[in-house]
Amino acid sequence: MRMKFKVLVLIALAAILAIGSTNVFADAPRARVQDMHRTWEMLDLKFMLSPEFGLFTQPNVRTEHYRRDTYDPKTAQTSHNGQPLGVWFLELYTGFLYNLKVDDSLKVTFGADWYFNGSPQSDSKNIHNTRNNYPYEHAINVWAVPSYTIGDFTIMARIILYNQIFEGNTETWVLRTNADGTDGGSYRRGWDKSEEYGWAMTTRALVGLEYKLTKTATIFARYEIFYGTIADNETRFVPDNEQSEDPNKTTERNRDNNESRMAYGDGGFAKIGYYRNRAYLGYSLKLASNVSFINQYVCETNLNPNFDPDGLTLADRTQVTSIVHYVFIGASLTFNLY
């Protein structure tokens, strides 16, 4: 009876995810700046050289199926639906891992990897030709995953130091003049050679709970936050070749003192502070001793780390900048080479 109940729970969760994957694409107005619906496919390949040490590579593809433009909660007006980006985000992780078994209940997995992502854009033949808004990125991830098992339950956590290394991903600011000749502010346009390279670090912290329904099926719930810890210095301060009254060239750049209209941090290489969270709900099936299938729903909330309810601009007063819904499907294959 207990086994039948667990199987029914798994079937019910699978049905909820299947129904959610269709309802997610419904055009329902919400008080959010943007609303995107995407699928996320993952293939994880592990090559274990010993029970403890292994190498891995993991390609990912994200595809956008729906995009809703800005919704104004004050006027309850929603602008027209945006054009979905289609295949818009490609990822590749390559690195190593080490499994440390403390005892039968406690295990810690350590790892590091090189990470690449690219965003193909319709106005460019390849991502290296599009010099704006992060067409591609390299990063080094260093991470640890402790887990503790009690009966059929497993409590786990994950810490990732996400070190972004930017190349050719900068912008210039251009003045805008209104039709009546008044100052229309500034907007991003183009690429600035002097800020071609950069480095920033985000700390990602995740906690999760897993429950083993059967010998082959596990359900899980997880929650993760992204906190910008280190920003690229060039995008936050006036560089040496820009005019400034500060002899040490440490004046923080903004729209008012940014004479050359270069990127100055807000919307630059990286955000500082709490800027994103993700909630995960799903299940995994062990199809063979070395093959696992993963299906989950991921809700990503992107936040404004500089939120100020009394701010002068609408951007400052906007706390949630976008909500992204993912239906995630993945497979993990392990090859024991020892």
Side-chain angles (χ1 to χ4, degrees):
M1 180 63 69
R2 185 183 178 190
M3 182 62 68
K4 289 182 178 180
F5 174 76
K6 289 184 174 183
V7 172
L8 287 174
V9 170
L10 179 61
I11 293 174
L13 179 58
I16 290 171
L17 290 176
I19 295 171
S21 67
T22 57
N23 285 347
V24 143
F25 301 106
D27 184 10
R30 301 176 180 89
R32 297 164 185 162
V33 173
Q34 283 188 319
D35 193 7
M36 285 81 82
H37 303 149
R38 301 166 178 168
T39 52
W40 187 344
E41 293 80 33
M42 178 272 287
L43 179 61
D44 182 34
L45 302 174
K46 294 186 178 72
F47 303 90
M48 301 304 297
L49 306 180
S50 71
E52 296 80 23
F53 182 78
L55 306 174
F56 70 91
T57 185
Q58 183 189 114
N60 293 257
V61 178
R62 302 192 209 178
T63 305
E64 185 171 279
H65 303 272
Y66 170 86
R67 171 180 288 261
R68 181 177 55 77
D69 291 341
T70 302
Y71 171 73
D72 186 348
K74 294 182 179 179
T75 62
Q77 296 295 316
T78 304
S79 61
H80 67 280
N81 291 344
Q83 181 65 35
L85 298 178
V87 177
W88 73 281
F89 202 69
L90 307 175
E91 299 174 284
L92 177 65
Y93 299 83
T94 301
F96 68 89
L97 59 88
Y98 178 78
N99 294 317
L100 174 63
K101 186 176 181 181
V102 180
D103 55 37
D104 291 339
S105 299
L106 180 60
K107 182 179 79 172
V108 183
T109 299
F110 300 94
D113 60 74
W114 165 75
Y115 169 64
F116 169 83
N117 71 57
S119 299
Q121 300 186 21
S122 59
D123 58 350
S124 174
K125 293 182 179 180
N126 65 73
I127 57 179
H128 295 83
N129 290 339
T130 306
R131 298 291 191 176
N132 57 14
N133 296 328
Y134 308 93
Y136 60 95
E137 168 194 305
H138 298 278
I140 301 295
N141 292 308
V142 180
W143 46 268
V145 183
S147 61
Y148 187 78
T149 301
I150 308 173
D152 291 332
F153 288 92
T154 297
I155 303 170
M156 58 83 64
R158 184 180 69 190
I159 295 292
I160 300 176
L161 299 181
Y162 169 37
N163 295 280
Q164 299 165 283
I165 304 168
F166 299 104
E167 178 186 5
N169 300 277
T170 58
E171 61 200 6
T172 58
W173 286 81
V174 179
L175 288 173
R176 177 188 285 119
T177 303
N178 296 325
D180 60 0
T182 59
D183 182 9
S186 57
Y187 65 98
R188 296 184 184 92
R189 180 179 179 181
W191 171 62
D192 190 280
K193 179 69 176 177
S194 70
E195 298 183 353
E196 182 175 6
Y197 302 100
W199 169 71
M201 187 180 80
T202 290
T203 301
R204 297 174 53 177
L206 177 147
V207 294
L209 180 64
E210 302 176 356
Y211 179 64
K212 193 171 184 179
L213 282 172
T214 68
K215 291 182 179 180
T216 59
T218 300
I219 59 175
F220 58 84
R222 297 165 184 164
Y223 185 78
E224 182 177 26
I225 65 170
F226 292 64
Y227 190 91
T229 311
I230 299 174
D232 177 81
N233 199 45
E234 276 244 312
T235 63
R236 292 183 64 79
F237 297 95
V238 177
D240 291 339
N241 63 353
E242 183 175 350
Q243 295 296 321
S244 172
E245 295 179 0
D246 183 353
N248 297 318
K249 306 298 183 184
T250 58
T251 301
E252 186 165 359
R253 198 179 312 161
N254 56 50
R255 284 184 175 86
D256 296 326
N257 66 13
N258 186 19
E259 295 179 3
S260 65
R261 300 294 162 184
M262 286 190 271
Y264 58 86
D266 181 12
F269 280 76
K271 293 182 172 63
I272 285 294
Y274 174 38
Y275 69 87
R276 176 178 299 158
N277 64 60
R278 284 182 185 160
Y280 307 79
L281 177 64
Y283 64 92
S284 64
L285 294 174
K286 199 173 185 64
L287 305 179
S289 60
N290 66 330
V291 180
S292 296
F293 169 78
I294 304 167
N295 184 206
Q296 61 182 327
Y297 164 69
V298 183
C299 182
E300 176 182 287
T301 303
N302 293 299
L303 306 166
N304 174 15
N306 302 311
F307 170 67
D308 180 2
D310 301 319
L312 297 178
T313 67
L314 178 60
D316 292 335
R317 298 192 300 271
T318 300
Q319 184 172 22
V320 176
T321 60
S322 66
I323 301 289
V324 186
H325 305 275
Y326 287 102
V327 176
F328 179 101
I329 300 174
S332 179
L333 286 74
T334 302
F335 302 92
N336 295 321
L337 305 181
Y338 54 89

